[in-house]
Amino acid sequence: MNFNKLGHFLLLVAATLPLVGCSIATNADENSPIVFEDRNSPISPSPAKLKLEYTASLSAVGDILIHERVYLDAKKENSYDFNPMLEKVTPFLEQADLTIANSESVVGGSEIGLSTYPAFNSPYEIGAALKNSGVDVVTLANNHTLDRGILAIENAIQYWHQIGMVHTGAALSSDDRAEVTLVTRNNITFSFLSYTYGTNGIPTPVGMDYLVNRIDPLIIQQDLKRAREVSDVVVLSLHFGQEYEHMPNAEQMELAHFSAENGADIILGHHPHVLQPPEWIETTDGRKVFAVYSLGNFLSGQDGLDRQIGAILHLDIVKSVTADSSNITLRNPAFTTTFVKSSNDKNYDMDLLKNIDKNLNSATKAHLSTWIKDLEFIE
């Protein structure tokens, strides 16, 4: 059968079949396209019924506190290399759409002289290693921010700008401080705020309050309001609590609940240098806020098992959008437990806690699960 005869045959068959839900124009010939004059197809939903969902993943780690023994171990001939220390945990950082770390020792660079406790100044190379490992945002408001004065803060912020690292909690001008720090991933816009309880008794220079954000409930309330106006998710970092205490105190919990009520969606705690458990905070406007009171140390030279243990937080954020509303839901909180090991103040290396001590890992998981029994652990 040639193609012309085949075309006539198909048209004949089509004419004899019952038509279901459509009719064909009667004036069509073999060279004309088939035209459907009406269809009984599903009707598109109205805009009011449309619902879109976007998802982004977030990870966060605790304190980056570079003691002398850590940066000396990273020293090369004319530079420092921290990348090998982070190699084993990098896969757990770079898998998230956004990863946050607390840069506790100011990264002021070798040019002004490196220093350790009690007044820290770290090499730029730790910042590069964090960037290489998947960290996207660093928080800068902590009790060591003013350790080495204005020059160290200027150097650090200029360096973070240079490598494209988003930062919050310290600024070089009032205008910079007034800018809400924003990052968008997968159509979800995150804002980042960071505050500290103090600066180890070092006063902020007169007229330069922008250098470091201090915890003041009224200021936090105002900043949360501004952040909510320009973002979908507000991530609040608080440097608070008592060092080496494994449970949050009343002041920490009160501030976290206050912040949740005033618009924070995710609250990340730092400063105790040991892990404190997370909780869900249910607000009066019906939101569920995730608060972890202390993420412990991530990379530091502190001794003691509980100070060598850290945790990487993993959290999924879902944005549901309809024609007249947008809603954020936090899902699947999970942790990866970590450990900083060394030998005689050398060979610093981060590893998963499960590879160091299974019993200690089980105890750490139980501690983190104090208030959230269905926490997951990614190892």
Side-chain angles (χ1 to χ4, degrees), residues 54-60 97-98 100 137 166 168 180-194 223-237 259-260 262-268 280 287-291 313 315-321 326-331:
Y54 305 99
T55 303
S57 56
L58 177 145
S59 290
D97 294 308
L98 266 176
I100 312 161
V137 182
V166 177
T168 184
V180 179
T181 301
L182 300 172
V183 178
T184 299
R185 293 288 189 273
N186 304 339
N187 290 309
I188 303 175
T189 299
F190 296 80
S191 57
F192 297 91
L193 302 171
S194 171
D223 289 348
L224 285 170
K225 183 176 184 298
R226 290 192 303 115
R228 287 211 69 80
E229 291 171 351
V230 294
S231 66
D232 301 303
V233 182
V234 181
V235 183
L236 172 66
S237 294
S259 300
N262 280 280
D265 295 296
I266 300 168
I267 299 171
L268 306 175
W280 287 111
R287 293 178 300 115
K288 284 186 70 174
V289 173
F290 186 85
L313 167 66
L315 196 61
D316 291 333
I317 297 90
V318 179
K319 175 182 175 181
S320 301
V321 181
S326 178
N327 183 59
I328 292 294
T329 305
L330 308 181
R331 297 179 183 170

Side-chain angles (χ1 to χ4, degrees), residues 93-135:
L93 302 178
E94 61 186 8
Q95 67 184 5
D97 294 308
L98 266 176
T99 297
I100 312 161
N102 177 45
S103 177
E104 181 145 9
S105 52
V106 63
V107 180
S110 305
E111 62 205 53
I112 62 171
L114 302 183
S115 54
T116 187
Y117 181 85
F120 288 89
N121 179 50
S122 298
Y124 292 135
E125 288 88 341
I126 182 58
L130 292 174
K131 181 83 173 177
N132 292 341
S133 294
V135 174

